[in-house]
Amino acid sequence: MTETRYVYSFGDGLAEGRADLKSLLGGKGANLAEMTTLGLPVPPGLTITTDACRAYWRDGEGLLEVLKAEVMPARELLEQRMGAKLGDAANPLLVSVRSGAAISMPGMMDTVLNLGLNDATVEGMATLTNNPRFAYDSYRRLLQMYSSVVMGMHGDVLEQLLERKKEGEGVRIDAELSLDALKALVDIFKNKIFESTGRAFPQDPLEQLWGAIRAVFRSWNNRRALDYRNAQQIPHDLGTAVTIQAMVFGNMGETSATGVAFTRDPNTGEGYFFGEWLPNAQGEDVVAGIRTPRALNMESGALEEDETLETCMPEAYAQLSQVRTTLETHYRDMQDIEFTIQQGRLWMLQTRTGKRSPAAEIRLAVDMVAEGLITEREALLRVRSTTLEKLMHPRINPNAERTVIANGLGASPGAATGAVVFTSEDAVEWAGRGEPVLLVRRETSPEDIAGMIKSQGILTARGGMTSHAAVVARGMSKPCIVGCRDLEIDTNKRELHVRGTVVREGDILTIDGAEGTVMLGSVETIRPEPSEDVAQLMSWVDQHRRLSVRTNADTAKDCKTARDFGAEGIGLCRTEHMFFNDNRILAVREMILADDEAGRRRALEQILPMQRDDFREIFRVMNGLPVTIRLLDPPLHEFLSHSDDDVTAMANHLGLSTEAVAARYRDLTEVNPMLGHRGCRLGLTYPEIYEMQVRAIIEAAIEVQREGATVIPEIMIPLVGHHRELEMLRELVTGTADSLISRAKISLPYTVGTMIELPRACLTADTIVESADFFSFGTNDLTQTTFGISRDDCGRFLPLYVDMGILPGDPFVSIDPAVGELIRIATEKGRAVKPDLKVGICGEHGGESASIRFCHSVGLDYVSCSPFRVPMARLAAAQAALEESSS
Amino acid sequence: MTETRYVYSFGDGLAEGRADLKSLLGGKGANLAEMTTLGLPVPPGLTITTDACRAYWRDGEGLLEVLKAEVMPARELLEQRMGAKLGDAANPLLVSVRSGAAISMPGMMDTVLNLGLNDATVEGMATLTNNPRFAYDSYRRLLQMYSSVVMGMHGDVLEQLLERKKEGEGVRIDAELSLDALKALVDIFKNKIFESTGRAFPQDPLEQLWGAIRAVFRSWNNRRALDYRNAQQIPHDLGTAVTIQAMVFGNMGETSATGVAFTRDPNTGEGYFFGEWLPNAQGEDVVAGIRTPRALNMESGALEEDETLETCMPEAYAQLSQVRTTLETHYRDMQDIEFTIQQGRLWMLQTRTGKRSPAAEIRLAVDMVAEGLITEREALLRVRSTTLEKLMHPRINPNAERTVIANGLGASPGAATGAVVFTSEDAVEWAGRGEPVLLVRRETSPEDIAGMIKSQGILTARGGMTSHAAVVARGMSKPCIVGCRDLEIDTNKRELHVRGTVVREGDILTIDGAEGTVMLGSVETIRPEPSEDVAQLMSWVDQHRRLSVRTNADTAKDCKTARDFGAEGIGLCRTEHMFFNDNRILAVREMILADDEAGRRRALEQILPMQRDDFREIFRVMNGLPVTIRLLDPPLHEFLSHSDDDVTAMANHLGLSTEAVAARYRDLTEVNPMLGHRGCRLGLTYPEIYEMQVRAIIEAAIEVQREGATVIPEIMIPLVGHHRELEMLRELVTGTADSLISRAKISLPYTVGTMIELPRACLTADTIVESADFFSFGTNDLTQTTFGISRDDCGRFLPLYVDMGILPGDPFVSIDPAVGELIRIATEKGRAVKPDLKVGICGEHGGESASIRFCHSVGLDYVSCSPFRVPMARLAAAQAALEESSS
């Protein structure tokens, strides 16, 4: 015996595992144990832990020896429970060997079914079941799976031999092959395997078993699993469990079937039993999408009564419905289940928390609170904050003109437009060039995962709502249509035909993943209105959070949107975006190209009224809420265009020679603009620019306040690295502002603070705070300087870093711990001097849930994010507070 | 009475101040007090403290009212001591009002002499001295100084009236003007002052006094004082003291004189009394260099016996020699003194520690130890470490061909070559364009300071060894020749004539500031051999320091130089400099432009033997000492040249189209290369590059070790920000190295460490250290990222920052405290995990004395600097240890 326990058995209503051992047994193993204990019909089996997988990757092959001491007795227990033995020709036990990680990775890792068959036991099976055709069909399936999964052959090799056999026999589908044909195929397969791999297919079922266990372990780190984990930000060190389970057969004739179901509709969240099934089939036939399955019942979209399981096998269906209720009551969440009916008898093969569309996620949470199944608090913690953001995904404008060329199953909602590509490789390549693409496939398989990640949306000709494409797309929240039967796809020619229309590679299509409609060209989209479910959920959110949520918005329109979404102020209003406006960019350039302060001041006089107008509109919209305005930040050359035409136009406008203007342009060019003459460095070298901006802000504030509104301006100085910078600029700001306010004979409280976005600012925050009323972390620049990485240039190595596991994720998406450490240091140093200092964050991270959790944990006052992320940020803030109070 | 004491009196052998109150009384005031107490002949007076100056700048004019309560009683005491009264027509007291800061700023601030004269007292003086000509000459001098210093008139206005008067009278020098002419000039001056300023010259001596005090206070922040302090890195908040002292007159006829002397030769350090004097003159006549003074004695360079003070005034000279001995014994250092002889009687007006040339600084320290005047320890602390660096200044190669066109006084040693400019403004402008310039002036004045700072060297036609140009140049350690009488300078025409040769603006000249020779064109220079004095000093240095000193060197030649200078290893060998070598840059570019790894490997195979040869040479030179080699750091595009010719050449070489190569070039361009694809990011994305470099290092090491030498290679990975980067690259390095070493069947210990040059690396040093045998701080990049400032782009704001007092100095020169904080954090985190971790620094700061002191204080093991700075770094390290043990 090893000290660590590696094997957990289950069967006959008894199980050594439980649902909460998911990280040890994988989701599949844990839930099989749980269902066994619940008294549900589960074929007995055993699960090898993820610890064993991790040990395998650490220690290598030796671990398999260690495992034997535990697997062998568990196998014996399984043989007793089944009254059959591995390799016993008279009464053979067949098993499946399946992977199963703590976090579901559908189809990414390997599985072997029908293990235990060999030249002897196949005959035993034939006799026992009185169905030699079934026995030989199972054997040829084992040969196909085993040779590809364990022995490393390309799956196509045997698949082609199968196709050739069918052609030879003149049949269309596998099930039509005769017994003789199947027997011949088994021989052909065995020969081909030997020829291709130099090794014979192992006749010893134990050798088969250990080969399969090793293969599942190894499949944890195959390419598609790595890609999937990177895309889903799943850690690479979890490992997979291996579940060995007695086989049951959905392909044992017309009283057998297999299916996949959700306890509620995973797409809409509606409360009916939703699923698909196939008579006389094995599970992978449904999942792989090769045969288009039938609906479980009319609610699941069946077109004819007599296709449903409810009608065809009413007893099994009734039992399944009972299981559905048991599972939902027990797990208190919507479940995704797999079942097999073997000669009329129902077997449960899997249950797991069902993936769901964003809309369903909200609806399920809200409905289950209404049903008393879960609490409000649970509902809030269960909805992922990113889901709210996804719900803001664009949809097709109902009023937009469109040409619908086909209809399929709307498998994952949202609208997507892109250039059509026909292979995963092409998707990666085109997307790499910056082209939005739509991946069109007959069906998808795990090999397609890289291309699916890169695509705007996915469209398949085959498969149902639980096919690979549908499940993966829903998990990624990418629009997807499956089972679009009218598509005739010619991958070699890179074109598809649909009802007479030819669509070639690169042609633009739009799909509506909710409706299932395929449209020509690009079709106008709109942002959706939040649903009643969302409104209900949000009504709970604000009672729990401590963090305020503000928005980053530069225009009155964006401010309005954000306010509608519940923003409690503006955390970042960038004044430079206003500079690009057509009618003012000339004045801005004139200012930049001026020879001296007088020239700059003349140009700034033209810009002043325009900026004042902008601020006035914003202050009106934000009546009663704080508005943080950042003074000019980017290097001045960003406002110049270096095209010859622009230079000439500017020279004409200024009455200067083209050469003089071009020279000045060159003069302003910087080697590292990110680290150049920008931010407060501009304010100190050209104080007249900041002076104009402060003037515009305060004059607008005075005007709007006179209209009766409450204006709360917060003036923010960017890129401060040394306390003297802020000290001097604060003087400039208050000098300008106070004289305007006192002249206006009005009371207008305003504050002056700074962006903290340089390591030096964090380390010296105790001195900087002396001149600051507030801090706002600019985490984009802070991440750039802390890492020494330019966002503009990291494309050649950062994705690779994530891929190689150097970084757990992109630090520009979620706050890196070292950057977080600087935020903590700065907050502590600032508050040590001014305990009431208001501290917020306005970088991109302000709209990302893990970062929001971090901001909550270090005691920030607010986060600020783009308008459409405001609801998710509110939820994430509530979740952070709830998690804190429960820990 | 105020609480702070603002006034300190001295006179009659009694003084309220002392020499160690320099920061309060200024150097001048403190030393006048000290000399008074020593019993030397000092005219009585009083000193207003620097506290008062700072209070003036803080509180404004009101401070002058506060001062009155102390100045008035002190004035009365002075009047008692002198038996004369300010404004008493019968027996007038005349005073000088002089500035004096804690750190000498020669000529940068203002002075008023002869204060107390007015229309009434001038007559009293005439009667008292029986010398009306002297009285009126003093009065016109007061009018000139006062109007310019206190009343803000341009000095030229009255100077031109004086010149016109001399022309009118047909005389050549001031002293030839008749009494009547002087009386007329006084009237002309008074009228002109009223006309120009709208105010009359104040007849009230008290009004004169307060005006002068205010003017001295204000001169602390005049332009040239600010420039000088910036150049010398003197803090801007020290303030100046004001010393009011009874006037004595060197211009009272032929038994009167004035002079300036050094107790030893400030240029060579030799032990004779060295100085200059002028008969019948006031002090400023010597300092301003308007009249060329005579040597004090034959040792000081007099050409004729009868010109020396020793011969002309033997009694006064003997007394002065006695004073020289008293001062040196008392101050235990070489003194720079000012004296006046009034009608045969010696008066001391100033003593201060004498500025000295780098060579003299060393010699004085070594000689004084030999004489028993100071201890070795004092000698080590007294020599500035930068002096050692300056001694390494290039000199003219004695074998070089040259065309000498003139000879002057070698006032500050070293060779300088530059384009001739004739004004300070031109010097600033030309140098701003990157042109090395030589400033040529008739004489320099404090107005020229900005241009002097920017020049390679200074050449003046007039002035002696103690003239403004000589003193300032020596202070800046810039080559300087003064009193080059053959030069005829026409500033308007921008040309100079010398013995028939015409030199125009922009022509190149070379000066030898030791020999005093002016040469045409540029002349070859050499690095000097260290003197015996230096060898003596360095023999003391190494007994005291704890820090090791290494060098940054990339070639065997530089390594040899550094080893000769006492380097104890290589702290930074940059492998990329080798890449630029003519015969390999093509292979390097081929590698960069390769499409794939195979292509890169082919190109790297060509580079490998060349790199190996380089390392072999370096290892041979560094036998027995550690050699830290940094793997490739800069972004690859730095190795490409974007000129059309180069692109075409490369395309031909590679057999590709010009367009393809140009496209690849564009592809590699980065927005912020400093933060881009460089350092270990290259090593991780193109591991074959680092593999080749490690191979070259280890193969070279094996070869040299087989020759019998001891090789200690330290392989350094640049730009690590995350511990996983180093972890993976360490594996790559050790994998490559170990297999080579084991194949060679040799024992070759080597270490693998990292540059710490990113804030993230500092903050996570505890994890990075797991894979590091050593840390080496790259403070250039660390300063850039901590500040968010690009060295390449900060020219438009960083100088201004220093100017405006935002930063105390350039953080790329001396380590900034916040950057230092990161260094401390990283060192502590690293050593917490590995207590014996070797930690060094290899940025530019490694050769700067304040930074070296910092490195000592945080417990680093070594600093590394350029070869020529090694001796200074050794001294600075010893000083840091000595200061620590004495504190």
Side-chain angles (χ1 to χ4, degrees), chain A residues 671-672 725 760 793 801 816, chain B residues 672 725 760 793 801 816:
Chain A
V671 180
N672 297 293
E725 293 173 318
R760 197 182 191 288
D793 302 305
Y801 268 34
D816 167 76
Chain B
N672 298 293
E725 294 173 317
R760 197 182 191 288
D793 302 304
Y801 268 33
D816 167 76

Side-chain angles (χ1 to χ4, degrees), chain B residues 49-65:
Chain B
T49 66
T50 55
D51 277 350
C53 177
R54 283 192 296 267
Y56 174 81
W57 280 102
R58 192 181 58 234
D59 305 338
E61 295 294 321
L63 190 271
L64 299 180
E65 278 309 307

Side-chain angles (χ1 to χ4, degrees), chain B residues 195-367:
Chain B
E195 189 188 314
S196 297
T197 68
R199 285 174 299 145
F201 170 76
Q203 290 292 321
D204 176 2
L206 278 182
E207 193 183 338
Q208 291 174 13
L209 181 65
W210 288 106
I213 292 170
R214 179 194 290 109
V216 172
F217 280 163
R218 299 193 67 84
S219 70
W220 174 252
N221 282 329
N222 68 31
R223 188 70 249 162
R224 60 180 197 261
L226 288 168
D227 285 347
Y228 184 83
R229 288 199 296 269
N230 286 336
Q232 301 288 319
Q233 300 197 308
I234 298 171
H236 291 294
D237 60 355
L238 299 178
T240 182
V242 185
T243 292
I244 298 156
Q245 191 177 22
M247 283 294 297
V248 288
F249 298 95
N251 55 343
M252 237 184 214
E254 288 310 309
T255 59
S256 298
T258 192
V260 172
F262 293 85
T263 57
R264 308 195 188 198
D265 187 329
N267 210 1
T268 64
E270 282 178 88
Y272 49 74
F273 196 20
F274 178 95
E276 295 170 329
W277 70 294
L278 274 173
N280 196 17
Q282 278 201 333
E284 79 263 30
D285 298 336
V286 181
V287 177
I290 292 167
R291 280 164 67 186
T292 302
R294 306 176 182 184
L296 214 56
N297 46 30
M298 292 306 286
E299 294 94 324
S300 299
L303 299 173
E304 296 165 37
E305 271 289 345
D306 58 4
E307 283 206 327
T308 69
L309 183 69
E310 191 170 9
T311 311
C312 297
M313 300 189 182
E315 274 175 50
Y317 182 80
Q319 200 188 347
L320 190 62
S321 295
Q322 187 53 49
V323 168
R324 172 200 175 208
T325 310
T326 307
L327 288 174
E328 261 212 359
T329 311
H330 182 72
Y331 284 100
R332 303 162 69 239
D333 201 351
M334 186 266 275
Q335 296 294 298
D336 167 359
I337 60 183
E338 289 179 22
F339 62 92
T340 283
I341 298 166
Q342 180 176 322
Q343 296 176 321
R345 184 167 172 197
L346 176 71
W347 292 99
M348 297 305 301
L349 297 182
Q350 171 145 319
T351 187
R352 57 186 171 190
T353 303
K355 288 191 192 290
R356 57 205 69 186
S357 73
E361 185 167 331
I362 311 282
R363 173 154 186 179
L364 287 169
V366 170
D367 282 359

Side-chain angles (χ1 to χ4, degrees), chain B residues 80-103:
Chain B
Q80 280 169 28
R81 280 174 170 158
M82 292 300 290
K85 280 196 156 134
L86 270 179
D88 181 346
N91 191 17
L93 170 66
L94 301 197
V95 298
S96 62
V97 178
R98 293 171 195 265
S99 58
I103 298 171

Side-chain angles (χ1 to χ4, degrees), chain B residues 315-488:
Chain B
E315 274 175 50
Y317 182 80
Q319 200 188 347
L320 190 62
S321 295
Q322 187 53 49
V323 168
R324 172 200 175 208
T325 310
T326 307
L327 288 174
E328 261 212 359
T329 311
H330 182 72
Y331 284 100
R332 303 162 69 239
D333 201 351
M334 186 266 275
Q335 296 294 298
D336 167 359
I337 60 183
E338 289 179 22
F339 62 92
T340 283
I341 298 166
Q342 180 176 322
Q343 296 176 321
R345 184 167 172 197
L346 176 71
W347 292 99
M348 297 305 301
L349 297 182
Q350 171 145 319
T351 187
R352 57 186 171 190
T353 303
K355 288 191 192 290
R356 57 205 69 186
S357 73
E361 185 167 331
I362 311 282
R363 173 154 186 179
L364 287 169
V366 170
D367 282 359
M368 286 183 186
V369 171
E371 293 163 22
L373 209 54
I374 60 174
T375 63
E376 271 178 32
R377 182 194 166 82
E378 282 174 305
L380 284 176
L381 286 171
R382 185 174 284 180
V383 172
R384 287 165 302 177
S385 54
T386 47
T387 297
L388 278 176
E389 192 195 350
K390 286 171 187 163
L391 270 185
M392 310 297 153
H393 272 322
R395 296 180 190 168
I396 299 295
N397 181 344
N399 304 319
E401 286 198 9
R402 72 199 78 179
T403 311
V404 174
I405 54 168
N407 286 281
L409 303 172
S412 180
T417 299
V420 168
V421 291
F422 292 97
T423 69
S424 174
E425 293 72 31
D426 290 344
V428 171
E429 194 195 318
W430 285 57
R433 293 201 303 263
E435 298 249 19
V437 296
L438 208 63
L439 179 62
V440 180
R441 299 283 289 158
R442 199 162 297 142
E443 70 251 353
T444 65
S445 75
E447 271 81 21
D448 292 322
I449 194 76
M452 296 173 79
I453 291 170
K454 294 292 184 192
S455 302
Q456 302 298 308
I458 296 133
L459 169 62
T460 70
R462 299 201 199 162
M465 294 296 278
T466 55
S467 66
H468 177 266
V471 170
V472 171
R474 223 142 45 217
M476 294 177 182
S477 192
K478 264 187 212 298
C480 175
I481 297 175
V482 297
C484 190
R485 300 174 195 212
D486 289 336
L487 304 185
E488 289 165 41

Side-chain angles (χ1 to χ4, degrees), chain A residues 244-259:
Chain A
I244 299 156
Q245 192 177 21
M247 284 294 299
V248 288
F249 299 95
N251 56 342
M252 237 181 213
E254 289 310 308
T255 59
S256 297
T258 191

Side-chain angles (χ1 to χ4, degrees), chain A residues 667 671-675 681 684-685 722 725 758 760 786-790 793 796 800-801 806 816, chain B residues 667 671-675 681 684-685 722 724-725 758 760 786-790 793 796 800-801 806 816:
Chain A
D667 233 35
V671 180
N672 297 293
M674 155 71 205
L675 307 176
R681 299 160 193 173
L684 286 161
T685 45
H722 193 284
E725 293 173 318
L758 295 173
R760 197 182 191 288
T786 304
F787 272 85
I789 286 181
S790 159
D793 302 305
R796 270 197 294 273
L800 192 76
Y801 268 34
I806 294 173
D816 167 76
Chain B
D667 233 35
V671 180
N672 298 293
M674 155 72 205
L675 307 175
R681 300 160 192 172
L684 286 160
T685 46
H722 193 285
R724 285 282 293 149
E725 294 173 317
L758 295 173
R760 197 182 191 288
T786 304
F787 273 84
I789 287 181
S790 158
D793 302 304
R796 270 197 294 272
L800 192 76
Y801 268 33
I806 294 173
D816 167 76

